[in-house]
Amino acid sequence: MGSRWRHLAFACVASALRLEQLPTRFNAVEFEAFAAGRPGVVAARTAEFLQVTAPLQLTTARLFAAGRLRRDDVAYARATREALARLGPTFIKLGQILSVREDILGPVWAAELATLQDGIEPVGAAEALDVIAAAFDGSLDAFVSIDPEPVAAASLAQVHRATWRSDDCNGSTTFDVAVKVLRPGVVEQIAVDLCVLTRASDVLATWAPRLLPSSQVDWKALILGLAGALWEEVDLKGEAARQQRFATNMQRVPSAYVPRVLCARREVMVSEWIDGTPLRRVRSPSVLRQSVEIMRDAYCQMMFEDCFFHADSHGGNLLWMGDPSDARGGQLCLLDCGLMVEIEPEASDGLLRLSLHLAGRQWSKVVEDSIQLGFLPPDITQQQRATAQGVARRLVGPYLDVGGGAAAASAYSASQLFSDISAASTELPTGLPPQMVLLGRAVIQLEGLALRADPAYRLVDDILPTAARMALGKQTSASILFELLYSDDESTVSSPQGVATLSRGSPPQSFSPERLRRLLATATGGATTISSSTTTTSTSTTSTTTTTTTTSRSSGAPTVTAAAAAAAAAAPQ
């Protein structure tokens, strides 16, 4: 039915499916009831889905029977991408979301699905204006003008620049706004498609483990989780509420800005227009460095304090408000709150612990944090813990030491790298919760931005001062600093004796000046000298420590020094 994704067909469906009948939050049971009340529409879409995907299903069966079903099959991945594009916006969006799950799909499929974000054709001006008018009771009187050409277009919505009229007791004022409008019929189309996907998730949960037996992915939960995220993206009134919450949170981050929302309906959202330069077009090193600092502080605030983060902060969604060649006085604007993720406070604390333990290179605790965050199951064996600790040290350690980009590539031995990846995929029952996948995507985007400004950028070390300050202020996390600065005599895991003595949460025994030196060096990015006069007995008696530090760069050092002093003061007496 063409690349316009069957707008006319689903406009007809819209007359049979009243918008107010759709559930506001995705729920598999409610959607099944919704589908049961519309058997003809759902059956027709199911038949179309089967017709488009039939060649893929036959190819899958043939490759599986021949033992040649692989994650690096370029032709198979391309055929799948083309099928998703033919099926329309629901499947295009799901493909875009799945493109960040390289852990499941592999690099070939992830790269192929990522191209679904290219070349989105906008809806015609007349159709877009009809949707806007319908959202405002058939009238466009609230607008002085609307630019018929969209400034941006995506698979679900597009954005137009407009002039908004505001009337109050002081008279009428006008100002520029951004009008985000859903594609015509897209809500109804996605509702029907999610009914199809809900029923298909049971089939996928049965067959996927047979095709990918080593995967620990809960496929039904994955599909239903993606469906929930997609349903939220076609509720612009809900997006407006998320944007307002996010704007309030970001007021705590200097030089970060989120546009004000002026008005919202389910299919239309009006927010203030921001003049700026998309960060992907900025070339000034000073502006890029300043942007990285703002984003670092913003994501620390999101992850460690607010438990609510922006999951799509690519260069097009970040605007530099100011002279693109001068960092002085500028602000960074974060756009598009369609994909925001909320995490539990326990997960936030776990991320904070993981960040600090990574900075301290405490691999046994990194494994414990991974279990808490759901990357590893809680019932893994001691041998698996030992394997995980060793793999983490060899896979993550060089990255922490030299940073990302080209520097990371030169820090690994190819044979050891492949060996460790193989061990991680075959010997460890790893998994990635959907929220952590989206957070990982955001962190990768942040690091990509930072590497443009500094090829030697080290993400974990850069957030250490901010993370340490936040840990110091959180009652639930203050003990992390104590753990980082007090020796716990970790056993090596390369021997059977080391495996046998791995313990969970063993209390630290004595203050470690060496750890303080390492942490200060990490925080300041330079050489750190430390002299100490330390008298230590067992943890049940008095421990006296006098420490003097000198760093080659002051940035971040006061934060960590204060944290160290607090941790020392918290030592058991």
mmCIF file of all heavy atoms in Angstrom, residues 498-529:
data_model
loop_
_atom_site.group_PDB
_atom_site.id
_atom_site.type_symbol
_atom_site.label_atom_id
_atom_site.label_comp_id
_atom_site.label_asym_id
_atom_site.label_seq_id
_atom_site.Cartn_x
_atom_site.Cartn_y
_atom_site.Cartn_z
ATOM 1 N N GLY A 498 41.122 -19.091 45.637
ATOM 2 C CA GLY A 498 40.498 -17.774 45.498
ATOM 3 C C GLY A 498 39.008 -17.897 45.246
ATOM 4 O O GLY A 498 38.208 -17.152 45.810
ATOM 5 N N VAL A 499 38.615 -18.856 44.392
ATOM 6 C CA VAL A 499 37.205 -19.070 44.118
ATOM 7 C C VAL A 499 36.465 -19.452 45.392
ATOM 8 O O VAL A 499 35.383 -18.955 45.692
ATOM 9 C CB VAL A 499 37.023 -20.173 43.055
ATOM 10 C CG1 VAL A 499 35.556 -20.519 42.897
ATOM 11 C CG2 VAL A 499 37.622 -19.729 41.740
ATOM 12 N N ALA A 500 37.078 -20.309 46.177
ATOM 13 C CA ALA A 500 36.419 -20.794 47.382
ATOM 14 C C ALA A 500 36.231 -19.716 48.425
ATOM 15 O O ALA A 500 35.318 -19.782 49.240
ATOM 16 C CB ALA A 500 37.224 -21.954 47.981
ATOM 17 N N THR A 501 37.102 -18.694 48.411
ATOM 18 C CA THR A 501 37.040 -17.676 49.461
ATOM 19 C C THR A 501 36.337 -16.404 49.016
ATOM 20 O O THR A 501 36.321 -15.418 49.751
ATOM 21 C CB THR A 501 38.463 -17.305 49.929
ATOM 22 O OG1 THR A 501 39.227 -16.875 48.798
ATOM 23 C CG2 THR A 501 39.138 -18.494 50.571
ATOM 24 N N LEU A 502 35.764 -16.401 47.787
ATOM 25 C CA LEU A 502 34.998 -15.228 47.373
ATOM 26 C C LEU A 502 33.866 -14.997 48.366
ATOM 27 O O LEU A 502 33.116 -15.908 48.701
ATOM 28 C CB LEU A 502 34.399 -15.454 45.982
ATOM 29 C CG LEU A 502 35.320 -15.205 44.787
ATOM 30 C CD1 LEU A 502 34.616 -15.648 43.525
ATOM 31 C CD2 LEU A 502 35.712 -13.749 44.705
ATOM 32 N N SER A 503 33.737 -13.813 48.854
ATOM 33 C CA SER A 503 32.697 -13.522 49.827
ATOM 34 C C SER A 503 31.861 -12.358 49.358
ATOM 35 O O SER A 503 32.275 -11.587 48.505
ATOM 36 C CB SER A 503 33.313 -13.178 51.180
ATOM 37 O OG SER A 503 34.156 -12.062 51.056
ATOM 38 N N ARG A 504 30.699 -12.213 49.933
ATOM 39 C CA ARG A 504 29.778 -11.154 49.539
ATOM 40 C C ARG A 504 29.713 -10.129 50.666
ATOM 41 O O ARG A 504 29.261 -10.409 51.757
ATOM 42 C CB ARG A 504 28.394 -11.722 49.266
ATOM 43 C CG ARG A 504 28.406 -12.829 48.228
ATOM 44 C CD ARG A 504 27.032 -13.381 47.972
ATOM 45 N NE ARG A 504 26.175 -12.394 47.314
ATOM 46 C CZ ARG A 504 24.957 -12.678 46.850
ATOM 47 N NH1 ARG A 504 24.461 -13.881 46.975
ATOM 48 N NH2 ARG A 504 24.232 -11.753 46.286
ATOM 49 N N GLY A 505 30.190 -8.898 50.365
ATOM 50 C CA GLY A 505 30.067 -7.810 51.321
ATOM 51 C C GLY A 505 30.935 -7.940 52.542
ATOM 52 O O GLY A 505 30.536 -7.537 53.636
ATOM 53 N N SER A 506 32.112 -8.506 52.427
ATOM 54 C CA SER A 506 32.994 -8.600 53.580
ATOM 55 C C SER A 506 33.377 -7.206 54.061
ATOM 56 O O SER A 506 33.696 -6.339 53.264
ATOM 57 C CB SER A 506 34.272 -9.370 53.208
ATOM 58 O OG SER A 506 33.951 -10.671 52.789
ATOM 59 N N PRO A 507 33.351 -6.959 55.376
ATOM 60 C CA PRO A 507 33.652 -5.613 55.870
ATOM 61 C C PRO A 507 35.118 -5.258 55.669
ATOM 62 O O PRO A 507 35.996 -6.097 55.815
ATOM 63 C CB PRO A 507 33.312 -5.714 57.362
ATOM 64 C CG PRO A 507 33.465 -7.167 57.685
ATOM 65 C CD PRO A 507 33.049 -7.905 56.462
ATOM 66 N N PRO A 508 35.410 -4.001 55.280
ATOM 67 C CA PRO A 508 36.791 -3.576 55.133
ATOM 68 C C PRO A 508 37.523 -3.650 56.462
ATOM 69 O O PRO A 508 36.927 -3.519 57.526
ATOM 70 C CB PRO A 508 36.663 -2.129 54.652
ATOM 71 C CG PRO A 508 35.257 -2.002 54.141
ATOM 72 C CD PRO A 508 34.453 -2.958 54.956
ATOM 73 N N GLN A 509 38.829 -3.834 56.386
ATOM 74 C CA GLN A 509 39.607 -4.034 57.600
ATOM 75 C C GLN A 509 40.474 -2.833 57.958
ATOM 76 O O GLN A 509 40.616 -2.525 59.116
ATOM 77 C CB GLN A 509 40.508 -5.278 57.427
ATOM 78 C CG GLN A 509 39.711 -6.566 57.227
ATOM 79 C CD GLN A 509 38.820 -6.875 58.410
ATOM 80 O OE1 GLN A 509 39.234 -6.752 59.549
ATOM 81 N NE2 GLN A 509 37.576 -7.225 58.138
ATOM 82 N N SER A 510 41.083 -2.155 56.987
ATOM 83 C CA SER A 510 41.994 -1.077 57.329
ATOM 84 C C SER A 510 42.025 -0.030 56.228
ATOM 85 O O SER A 510 41.768 -0.331 55.068
ATOM 86 C CB SER A 510 43.407 -1.630 57.545
ATOM 87 O OG SER A 510 43.872 -2.254 56.364
ATOM 88 N N PHE A 511 42.316 1.200 56.605
ATOM 89 C CA PHE A 511 42.373 2.281 55.639
ATOM 90 C C PHE A 511 43.496 2.026 54.639
ATOM 91 O O PHE A 511 44.582 1.591 55.007
ATOM 92 C CB PHE A 511 42.605 3.608 56.364
ATOM 93 C CG PHE A 511 42.744 4.771 55.417
ATOM 94 C CD1 PHE A 511 41.646 5.249 54.720
ATOM 95 C CD2 PHE A 511 43.976 5.369 55.202
ATOM 96 C CE1 PHE A 511 41.764 6.309 53.848
ATOM 97 C CE2 PHE A 511 44.108 6.429 54.329
ATOM 98 C CZ PHE A 511 42.997 6.905 53.646
ATOM 99 N N SER A 512 43.218 2.296 53.356
ATOM 100 C CA SER A 512 44.178 2.027 52.302
ATOM 101 C C SER A 512 44.602 3.323 51.622
ATOM 102 O O SER A 512 43.879 3.855 50.778
ATOM 103 C CB SER A 512 43.573 1.074 51.257
ATOM 104 O OG SER A 512 44.421 0.947 50.148
ATOM 105 N N PRO A 513 45.760 3.882 51.987
ATOM 106 C CA PRO A 513 46.253 5.082 51.296
ATOM 107 C C PRO A 513 46.408 4.866 49.798
ATOM 108 O O PRO A 513 46.204 5.786 49.006
ATOM 109 C CB PRO A 513 47.603 5.345 51.975
ATOM 110 C CG PRO A 513 47.506 4.680 53.304
ATOM 111 C CD PRO A 513 46.657 3.468 53.079
ATOM 112 N N GLU A 514 46.758 3.654 49.396
ATOM 113 C CA GLU A 514 46.941 3.381 47.980
ATOM 114 C C GLU A 514 45.628 3.582 47.215
ATOM 115 O O GLU A 514 45.603 4.118 46.117
ATOM 116 C CB GLU A 514 47.459 1.955 47.777
ATOM 117 C CG GLU A 514 47.509 1.465 46.325
ATOM 118 C CD GLU A 514 48.421 2.335 45.458
ATOM 119 O OE1 GLU A 514 49.293 3.036 46.009
ATOM 120 O OE2 GLU A 514 48.235 2.325 44.230
ATOM 121 N N ARG A 515 44.528 3.150 47.828
ATOM 122 C CA ARG A 515 43.236 3.352 47.173
ATOM 123 C C ARG A 515 42.902 4.835 47.059
ATOM 124 O O ARG A 515 42.374 5.289 46.055
ATOM 125 C CB ARG A 515 42.133 2.628 47.936
ATOM 126 C CG ARG A 515 42.128 1.138 47.683
ATOM 127 C CD ARG A 515 40.843 0.536 48.159
ATOM 128 N NE ARG A 515 40.820 -0.883 47.843
ATOM 129 C CZ ARG A 515 39.855 -1.697 48.227
ATOM 130 N NH1 ARG A 515 38.866 -1.237 48.944
ATOM 131 N NH2 ARG A 515 39.892 -2.965 47.905
ATOM 132 N N LEU A 516 43.177 5.584 48.114
ATOM 133 C CA LEU A 516 42.933 7.020 48.061
ATOM 134 C C LEU A 516 43.780 7.652 46.949
ATOM 135 O O LEU A 516 43.303 8.497 46.191
ATOM 136 C CB LEU A 516 43.256 7.667 49.407
ATOM 137 C CG LEU A 516 43.121 9.198 49.458
ATOM 138 C CD1 LEU A 516 41.713 9.633 49.075
ATOM 139 C CD2 LEU A 516 43.486 9.711 50.841
ATOM 140 N N ARG A 517 45.051 7.233 46.849
ATOM 141 C CA ARG A 517 45.915 7.778 45.807
ATOM 142 C C ARG A 517 45.347 7.484 44.420
ATOM 143 O O ARG A 517 45.294 8.354 43.549
ATOM 144 C CB ARG A 517 47.318 7.178 45.931
ATOM 145 C CG ARG A 517 48.338 7.801 44.967
ATOM 146 C CD ARG A 517 49.557 6.923 44.784
ATOM 147 N NE ARG A 517 49.211 5.671 44.125
ATOM 148 C CZ ARG A 517 48.970 5.566 42.810
ATOM 149 N NH1 ARG A 517 49.016 6.625 42.035
ATOM 150 N NH2 ARG A 517 48.659 4.405 42.285
ATOM 151 N N ARG A 518 44.893 6.235 44.207
ATOM 152 C CA ARG A 518 44.349 5.863 42.905
ATOM 153 C C ARG A 518 43.089 6.659 42.571
ATOM 154 O O ARG A 518 42.899 7.119 41.457
ATOM 155 C CB ARG A 518 44.036 4.363 42.867
ATOM 156 C CG ARG A 518 45.246 3.466 42.728
ATOM 157 C CD ARG A 518 44.891 2.145 42.050
ATOM 158 N NE ARG A 518 43.643 1.558 42.538
ATOM 159 C CZ ARG A 518 43.581 0.627 43.479
ATOM 160 N NH1 ARG A 518 44.682 0.187 44.057
ATOM 161 N NH2 ARG A 518 42.431 0.142 43.853
ATOM 162 N N LEU A 519 42.210 6.809 43.571
ATOM 163 C CA LEU A 519 40.970 7.526 43.328
ATOM 164 C C LEU A 519 41.228 9.001 43.024
ATOM 165 O O LEU A 519 40.610 9.588 42.147
ATOM 166 C CB LEU A 519 40.030 7.398 44.526
ATOM 167 C CG LEU A 519 39.307 6.053 44.646
ATOM 168 C CD1 LEU A 519 38.541 5.994 45.957
ATOM 169 C CD2 LEU A 519 38.362 5.845 43.479
ATOM 170 N N LEU A 520 42.163 9.605 43.742
ATOM 171 C CA LEU A 520 42.486 11.003 43.482
ATOM 172 C C LEU A 520 43.123 11.168 42.100
ATOM 173 O O LEU A 520 42.837 12.122 41.388
ATOM 174 C CB LEU A 520 43.414 11.542 44.567
ATOM 175 C CG LEU A 520 42.756 11.811 45.926
ATOM 176 C CD1 LEU A 520 43.803 12.203 46.950
ATOM 177 C CD2 LEU A 520 41.703 12.899 45.808
ATOM 178 N N ALA A 521 43.974 10.232 41.726
ATOM 179 C CA ALA A 521 44.578 10.295 40.400
ATOM 180 C C ALA A 521 43.508 10.163 39.318
ATOM 181 O O ALA A 521 43.521 10.862 38.307
ATOM 182 C CB ALA A 521 45.630 9.199 40.246
ATOM 183 N N THR A 522 42.555 9.275 39.541
ATOM 184 C CA THR A 522 41.458 9.101 38.600
ATOM 185 C C THR A 522 40.635 10.370 38.495
ATOM 186 O O THR A 522 40.291 10.834 37.406
ATOM 187 C CB THR A 522 40.553 7.934 39.054
ATOM 188 O OG1 THR A 522 41.280 6.727 38.940
ATOM 189 C CG2 THR A 522 39.310 7.841 38.193
ATOM 190 N N ALA A 523 40.317 10.968 39.654
ATOM 191 C CA ALA A 523 39.437 12.133 39.667
ATOM 192 C C ALA A 523 40.089 13.354 39.045
ATOM 193 O O ALA A 523 39.420 14.199 38.452
ATOM 194 C CB ALA A 523 39.013 12.450 41.097
ATOM 195 N N THR A 524 41.402 13.468 39.191
ATOM 196 C CA THR A 524 42.080 14.667 38.702
ATOM 197 C C THR A 524 42.699 14.483 37.333
ATOM 198 O O THR A 524 43.127 15.436 36.710
ATOM 199 C CB THR A 524 43.197 15.090 39.689
ATOM 200 O OG1 THR A 524 44.132 14.014 39.817
ATOM 201 C CG2 THR A 524 42.619 15.449 41.044
ATOM 202 N N GLY A 525 42.777 13.259 36.851
ATOM 203 C CA GLY A 525 43.336 13.005 35.535
ATOM 204 C C GLY A 525 44.820 13.256 35.456
ATOM 205 O O GLY A 525 45.376 13.428 34.384
ATOM 206 N N GLY A 526 45.510 13.293 36.588
ATOM 207 C CA GLY A 526 46.941 13.557 36.568
ATOM 208 C C GLY A 526 47.649 12.788 37.661
ATOM 209 O O GLY A 526 47.055 11.999 38.387
ATOM 210 N N ALA A 527 48.945 13.025 37.792
ATOM 211 C CA ALA A 527 49.730 12.330 38.805
ATOM 212 C C ALA A 527 49.344 12.822 40.191
ATOM 213 O O ALA A 527 49.089 13.996 40.411
ATOM 214 C CB ALA A 527 51.210 12.567 38.559
ATOM 215 N N THR A 528 49.270 11.932 41.116
ATOM 216 C CA THR A 528 48.930 12.275 42.489
ATOM 217 C C THR A 528 49.950 11.653 43.415
ATOM 218 O O THR A 528 50.231 10.456 43.320
ATOM 219 C CB THR A 528 47.528 11.745 42.853
ATOM 220 O OG1 THR A 528 46.585 12.333 41.966
ATOM 221 C CG2 THR A 528 47.161 12.105 44.275
ATOM 222 N N THR A 529 50.519 12.439 44.300
ATOM 223 C CA THR A 529 51.429 11.901 45.293
ATOM 224 C C THR A 529 50.731 11.896 46.630
ATOM 225 O O THR A 529 49.894 12.760 46.918
ATOM 226 C CB THR A 529 52.704 12.758 45.392
ATOM 227 O OG1 THR A 529 52.336 14.097 45.743
ATOM 228 C CG2 THR A 529 53.437 12.768 44.058
#
